[in-house]
PDB file of all heavy atoms in Angstrom:
ATOM      1  N   PRO A1411     -27.547  18.355 -13.608  1.00  0.00           N
ATOM      2  CA  PRO A1411     -27.545  17.011 -14.179  1.00  0.00           C
ATOM      3  C   PRO A1411     -28.368  16.984 -15.480  1.00  0.00           C
ATOM      4  O   PRO A1411     -29.337  17.735 -15.585  1.00  0.00           O
ATOM      5  CB  PRO A1411     -28.228  16.172 -13.096  1.00  0.00           C
ATOM      6  CG  PRO A1411     -28.008  16.933 -11.821  1.00  0.00           C
ATOM      7  CD  PRO A1411     -28.027  18.382 -12.220  1.00  0.00           C
ATOM      8  N   PRO A1412     -28.019  16.156 -16.475  1.00  0.00           N
ATOM      9  CA  PRO A1412     -26.916  15.190 -16.434  1.00  0.00           C
ATOM     10  C   PRO A1412     -25.577  15.755 -16.931  1.00  0.00           C
ATOM     11  O   PRO A1412     -24.604  15.010 -17.020  1.00  0.00           O
ATOM     12  CB  PRO A1412     -27.415  14.098 -17.390  1.00  0.00           C
ATOM     13  CG  PRO A1412     -28.199  14.868 -18.425  1.00  0.00           C
ATOM     14  CD  PRO A1412     -28.843  16.016 -17.688  1.00  0.00           C
ATOM     15  N   ALA A1413     -25.519  17.051 -17.246  1.00  0.00           N
ATOM     16  CA  ALA A1413     -24.274  17.605 -17.815  1.00  0.00           C
ATOM     17  C   ALA A1413     -23.086  17.395 -16.882  1.00  0.00           C
ATOM     18  O   ALA A1413     -21.976  17.078 -17.325  1.00  0.00           O
ATOM     19  CB  ALA A1413     -24.453  19.103 -18.116  1.00  0.00           C
ATOM     20  N   ASP A1414     -23.317  17.527 -15.562  1.00  0.00           N
ATOM     21  CA  ASP A1414     -22.190  17.378 -14.622  1.00  0.00           C
ATOM     22  C   ASP A1414     -21.579  15.980 -14.700  1.00  0.00           C
ATOM     23  O   ASP A1414     -20.355  15.820 -14.753  1.00  0.00           O
ATOM     24  CB  ASP A1414     -22.640  17.714 -13.196  1.00  0.00           C
ATOM     25  CG  ASP A1414     -23.816  16.868 -12.717  1.00  0.00           C
ATOM     26  OD1 ASP A1414     -24.578  16.353 -13.567  1.00  0.00           O
ATOM     27  OD2 ASP A1414     -23.984  16.711 -11.499  1.00  0.00           O
ATOM     28  N   ALA A1415     -22.446  14.957 -14.753  1.00  0.00           N
ATOM     29  CA  ALA A1415     -21.946  13.577 -14.809  1.00  0.00           C
ATOM     30  C   ALA A1415     -21.263  13.299 -16.147  1.00  0.00           C
ATOM     31  O   ALA A1415     -20.259  12.581 -16.210  1.00  0.00           O
ATOM     32  CB  ALA A1415     -23.102  12.604 -14.595  1.00  0.00           C
ATOM     33  N   GLU A1416     -21.791  13.882 -17.232  1.00  0.00           N
ATOM     34  CA  GLU A1416     -21.187  13.677 -18.555  1.00  0.00           C
ATOM     35  C   GLU A1416     -19.798  14.330 -18.625  1.00  0.00           C
ATOM     36  O   GLU A1416     -18.857  13.752 -19.172  1.00  0.00           O
ATOM     37  CB  GLU A1416     -22.117  14.228 -19.647  1.00  0.00           C
ATOM     38  CG  GLU A1416     -23.404  13.417 -19.791  1.00  0.00           C
ATOM     39  CD  GLU A1416     -24.414  14.075 -20.719  1.00  0.00           C
ATOM     40  OE1 GLU A1416     -24.018  14.868 -21.597  1.00  0.00           O
ATOM     41  OE2 GLU A1416     -25.623  13.782 -20.573  1.00  0.00           O
ATOM     42  N   ILE A1417     -19.677  15.531 -18.044  1.00  0.00           N
ATOM     43  CA  ILE A1417     -18.361  16.195 -18.013  1.00  0.00           C
ATOM     44  C   ILE A1417     -17.410  15.408 -17.112  1.00  0.00           C
ATOM     45  O   ILE A1417     -16.243  15.185 -17.461  1.00  0.00           O
ATOM     46  CB  ILE A1417     -18.500  17.661 -17.533  1.00  0.00           C
ATOM     47  CG1 ILE A1417     -19.316  18.480 -18.542  1.00  0.00           C
ATOM     48  CG2 ILE A1417     -17.118  18.299 -17.349  1.00  0.00           C
ATOM     49  CD1 ILE A1417     -19.746  19.848 -18.037  1.00  0.00           C
ATOM     50  N   ALA A1418     -17.907  14.948 -15.963  1.00  0.00           N
ATOM     51  CA  ALA A1418     -17.071  14.173 -15.037  1.00  0.00           C
ATOM     52  C   ALA A1418     -16.530  12.908 -15.710  1.00  0.00           C
ATOM     53  O   ALA A1418     -15.369  12.525 -15.508  1.00  0.00           O
ATOM     54  CB  ALA A1418     -17.872  13.804 -13.788  1.00  0.00           C
ATOM     55  N   ALA A1419     -17.369  12.259 -16.527  1.00  0.00           N
ATOM     56  CA  ALA A1419     -16.930  11.041 -17.229  1.00  0.00           C
ATOM     57  C   ALA A1419     -15.804  11.364 -18.220  1.00  0.00           C
ATOM     58  O   ALA A1419     -14.845  10.597 -18.364  1.00  0.00           O
ATOM     59  CB  ALA A1419     -18.116  10.405 -17.957  1.00  0.00           C
ATOM     60  N   GLU A1420     -15.920  12.519 -18.882  1.00  0.00           N
ATOM     61  CA  GLU A1420     -14.855  12.934 -19.815  1.00  0.00           C
ATOM     62  C   GLU A1420     -13.555  13.246 -19.067  1.00  0.00           C
ATOM     63  O   GLU A1420     -12.458  12.962 -19.548  1.00  0.00           O
ATOM     64  CB  GLU A1420     -15.295  14.164 -20.622  1.00  0.00           C
ATOM     65  CG  GLU A1420     -16.471  13.923 -21.560  1.00  0.00           C
ATOM     66  CD  GLU A1420     -16.135  13.009 -22.739  1.00  0.00           C
ATOM     67  OE1 GLU A1420     -14.940  12.687 -22.938  1.00  0.00           O
ATOM     68  OE2 GLU A1420     -17.077  12.604 -23.436  1.00  0.00           O
ATOM     69  N   ILE A1421     -13.681  13.844 -17.872  1.00  0.00           N
ATOM     70  CA  ILE A1421     -12.485  14.135 -17.058  1.00  0.00           C
ATOM     71  C   ILE A1421     -11.801  12.821 -16.670  1.00  0.00           C
ATOM     72  O   ILE A1421     -10.577  12.673 -16.783  1.00  0.00           O
ATOM     73  CB  ILE A1421     -12.872  14.943 -15.794  1.00  0.00           C
ATOM     74  CG1 ILE A1421     -13.413  16.329 -16.173  1.00  0.00           C
ATOM     75  CG2 ILE A1421     -11.658  15.092 -14.855  1.00  0.00           C
ATOM     76  CD1 ILE A1421     -14.042  17.111 -15.016  1.00  0.00           C
ATOM     77  N   ASP A1422     -12.619  11.849 -16.232  1.00  0.00           N
ATOM     78  CA  ASP A1422     -12.068  10.549 -15.807  1.00  0.00           C
ATOM     79  C   ASP A1422     -11.385   9.818 -16.953  1.00  0.00           C
ATOM     80  O   ASP A1422     -10.498   8.990 -16.723  1.00  0.00           O
ATOM     81  CB  ASP A1422     -13.185   9.660 -15.231  1.00  0.00           C
ATOM     82  CG  ASP A1422     -13.701  10.188 -13.899  1.00  0.00           C
ATOM     83  OD1 ASP A1422     -13.002  11.020 -13.273  1.00  0.00           O
ATOM     84  OD2 ASP A1422     -14.803   9.783 -13.477  1.00  0.00           O
ATOM     85  N   ALA A1423     -11.810  10.113 -18.182  1.00  0.00           N
ATOM     86  CA  ALA A1423     -11.260   9.395 -19.346  1.00  0.00           C
ATOM     87  C   ALA A1423      -9.877   9.906 -19.758  1.00  0.00           C
ATOM     88  O   ALA A1423      -9.234   9.308 -20.628  1.00  0.00           O
ATOM     89  CB  ALA A1423     -12.241   9.512 -20.516  1.00  0.00           C
ATOM     90  N   ILE A1424      -9.417  10.991 -19.147  1.00  0.00           N
ATOM     91  CA  ILE A1424      -8.104  11.541 -19.534  1.00  0.00           C
ATOM     92  C   ILE A1424      -7.003  10.741 -18.831  1.00  0.00           C
ATOM     93  O   ILE A1424      -6.871  10.795 -17.609  1.00  0.00           O
ATOM     94  CB  ILE A1424      -8.027  13.042 -19.179  1.00  0.00           C
ATOM     95  CG1 ILE A1424      -9.024  13.814 -20.027  1.00  0.00           C
ATOM     96  CG2 ILE A1424      -6.612  13.587 -19.404  1.00  0.00           C
ATOM     97  CD1 ILE A1424      -9.478  15.102 -19.425  1.00  0.00           C
ATOM     98  N   ALA A1425      -6.253  10.001 -19.603  1.00  0.00           N
ATOM     99  CA  ALA A1425      -5.238   9.117 -19.016  1.00  0.00           C
ATOM    100  C   ALA A1425      -4.040   9.917 -18.513  1.00  0.00           C
ATOM    101  O   ALA A1425      -3.548   9.709 -17.416  1.00  0.00           O
ATOM    102  CB  ALA A1425      -4.801   8.082 -20.042  1.00  0.00           C
TER     103      ALA A1425
END
Side-chain angles (χ1 to χ4, degrees):
D1414 57 336
E1416 292 171 25
I1417 295 168
E1420 295 291 351
I1421 295 170
D1422 291 343
I1424 294 155

